[in-house]
Amino acid sequence: MAASRRGTLALLCAAAVATLTLSTQGYAQDKQITLGFAQVGAESAWRTANTESVKSAAADAHVKLKFSDAQQKQENQIKAIRSYIAQKVDVIAFSPVVESGWEPVLREAKAAKIPVILTDRSIDVKDPSLYVTMIGSDFLEEGRRGGKWLEDHYKDQSGPINIAELQGTVGSAPANDRHSGLMEVIKDDPKFKIIASQSGDFTLAGGKQVMEAFIKTYGNKINVVYAHNDDMALGAIQAMEEAGMHPGKDITVVSFDATKGGFQAMAAGKMNVDVECSPLLGPQLMEAAKAVAAGKTLPKRIVTTETVFPADVAAATLPSRKY
Ligand code: GYE
């Protein structure tokens, strides 16, 4: 998606921010609904917590859940969605692995009159009637938050500040937007330079491998690691330590998700800031699924509330982290 369109979309989304406050109680007596959920995979601690949230919220809300794991492959998600259409589920929800390529299968769902809810990641489609609502974080804002933290952290220092970026899955909304959010903040400040940028596919092994390659090429020229999630940041931390570097001290580590692993790394002084992205979307998803099955109209965008955790609050906050 072009940066300008993305910006416009962000504004539209901000304008449409709404919290879903429908009570589940009103539907408690209704017939049980069946929800088909096509998950991205099991690539990260975030994802594990998200899956757990969806499964436990379904049980609590008395929703019959059909769950599939696409192992980070779009073709598997498309197959799962087609099978939910064939099984005539009441509602389909999915967390799209990438942003593009969804029109054909979503048209099939629409033709079968099965409402589709997007969770976590957004898609790039021309026809917004192909889905009912999108429940999840504002990744562009998360990227801006990471960028603003960096600007502030280096405000008294002259450049260059060399950034090595560990991108998430190529073509995914969080990778696209966490990159764009950072760029938006640093583009007018020549002090910051992204000297390397590569995908580690949101996994610990991927982050470690890419960081090893970055260290070989750029060595101690790297001032900042900007990792699109905690798993990749933790992999990069391992790579830095194995190379005799001191993550969190001689290399600033910025990450996303704010999982327990991220908090532990911050408490140990190895990560400097973790921008929160909540995976606990299950309860909102169940409310939305029940509401849509009952013929209610939902806001087009439901944004999760999140914050930024600098390392100095990590030790105190860690015990209360839920994922
Ligand atoms: O940041 C990452 C996961 O889509 C927000 O996917 C999610 C991202 C999350 O693999 O850890």
Side-chain angles (χ1 to χ4, degrees):
M1 195 188 286
S4 59
R5 266 196 66 202
R6 193 173 291 285
T8 319
L9 188 67
L11 282 176
L12 285 173
C13 289
V17 168
T19 313
L20 191 63
T21 50
L22 297 165
S23 158
T24 44
Q25 277 169 4
Y27 309 112
Q29 307 304 320
D30 295 352
K31 94 168 197 352
Q32 186 179 37
I33 66 158
T34 301
L35 172 69
F37 184 79
Q39 180 60 291
V40 168
E43 73 283 3
S44 62
W46 189 102
R47 190 65 53 199
T48 306
N50 180 246
T51 292
E52 173 49 31
S53 171
V54 169
K55 287 184 175 171
S56 62
D60 291 349
H62 193 54
V63 166
K64 187 164 177 218
L65 181 69
K66 290 179 183 283
F67 181 92
S68 60
D69 173 338
Q71 298 181 324
Q72 286 186 285
K73 291 200 177 71
Q74 181 174 34
E75 73 231 47
N76 291 347
Q77 276 194 313
I78 292 175
K79 267 190 213 145
I81 294 169
R82 289 211 166 109
S83 102
Y84 296 146
I85 297 171
Q87 292 170 63
K88 298 186 169 44
V89 299
D90 298 299
V91 181
I92 291 172
F94 75 114
S95 171
V97 60
V98 290
E99 289 192 274
S100 59
W102 296 104
E103 273 95 349
V105 72
L106 292 185
R107 270 190 233 116
E108 290 167 35
K110 194 177 170 186
K113 297 194 170 40
I114 301 177
V116 172
I117 298 174
L118 305 178
T119 71
D120 163 31
R121 299 183 182 177
S122 56
I123 57 174
D124 190 7
V125 285
K126 289 199 184 69
D127 176 3
S129 77
L130 291 176
Y131 64 92
V132 175
T133 184
M134 153 58 200
I135 305 172
S137 311
D138 181 343
F139 302 134
L140 192 64
E141 182 54 29
E142 290 175 358
R144 290 187 194 116
R145 287 178 182 156
K148 282 179 193 149
W149 184 90
L150 270 178
E151 261 198 336
D152 187 56
H153 185 70
Y154 286 104
K155 64 176 182 304
D156 300 325
Q157 230 167 289
S158 57
I161 308 295
N162 294 325
I163 303 173
E165 182 183 27
L166 291 168
Q167 291 221 10
T169 301
V170 176
S172 69
N176 289 341
D177 292 354
R178 287 170 186 167
H179 171 78
S180 301
L182 169 70
M183 292 310 291
E184 221 183 79
V185 175
I186 65 169
K187 71 176 187 312
D188 300 324
D189 191 341
K191 180 163 89 179
F192 292 102
K193 286 195 175 57
I194 298 189
I195 56 166
S197 186
Q198 205 178 305
S199 172
D201 212 11
F202 281 130
T203 66
L204 188 143
K208 186 171 183 212
Q209 210 183 332
V210 173
M211 191 64 203
E212 281 165 357
F214 284 172
I215 293 171
K216 271 204 191 103
T217 314
Y218 301 99
N220 51 17
K221 282 204 184 73
I222 303 169
N223 304 110
V224 175
V225 168
Y226 180 87
H228 288 191
N229 82 340
D230 283 349
D231 298 73
M232 292 193 296
L234 296 175
I237 287 170
Q238 282 179 17
M240 288 184 258
E241 290 186 320
E242 283 171 19
M245 297 168 150
H246 301 99
K249 295 183 184 71
D250 38 42
I251 298 189
T252 301
V253 180
V254 178
S255 183
F256 294 83
D257 284 354
T259 57
K260 279 189 182 140
F263 267 78
Q264 279 154 356
M266 286 199 287
K270 298 175 183 184
M271 183 188 283
N272 304 76
V273 65
D274 211 349
V275 179
E276 186 181 33
C277 178
S278 176
L280 308 177
L281 306 176
Q284 276 174 306
L285 171 60
M286 297 313 143
E287 280 193 41
K290 284 184 167 188
V292 86
K296 312 254 171 195
T297 308
L298 296 179
K300 198 76 194 173
R301 182 75 173 94
I302 299 168
V303 180
T304 328
T305 311
E306 284 148 356
T307 184
V308 176
F309 295 104
D312 53 4
V313 304
T317 317
L318 180 55
S320 63
R321 295 305 289 163
K322 300 233 167 4
Y323 58 94

